Amino acid sequence: MNRIRSRGQGMTEYIIIVALIAIAAIAVYSLFGKTMRNQVAGMAGELSGAGGSQAVSAAKSASGEAATEANKDKGLGDYTNQ
């Protein structure tokens, strides 16, 4: 009986850890998503030979916007206000 409880406890802890990692990933992506998309677009443009300077400059401006948003004081009431 203890063996079953131990497995259940381990699985619950694993689920909690995975959920916390997912929440952190969503938060990072929502904050830096535009920057990451523009950087990937710039790299893809460079690899294809088309040039990616426009996407790289867009990534720079998006990172500035993300830094500004990160410095704002927000609470849980601001969660639904984008």
Side-chain angles (χ1 to χ4, degrees), residues 4-42:
I4 294 172
R5 285 185 184 171
S6 177
R7 274 202 246 166
Q9 179 184 358
M11 182 60 75
T12 303
E13 291 170 356
Y14 177 73
I15 289 171
I16 290 171
I17 290 169
V18 169
L20 290 174
I21 290 171
I23 290 170
I26 290 169
V28 167
Y29 185 77
S30 69
L31 190 60
F32 296 109
K34 187 189 275 186
T35 303
M36 293 184 331
R37 281 192 304 270
N38 287 325
Q39 286 179 341
V40 170

Side-chain angles (χ1 to χ4, degrees), residues 52-72:
S53 61
Q54 185 178 11
V56 170
S57 64
K60 286 180 184 177
S61 67
S63 68
E65 292 172 17
T68 302
E69 284 295 317
N71 289 329
K72 289 183 181 177

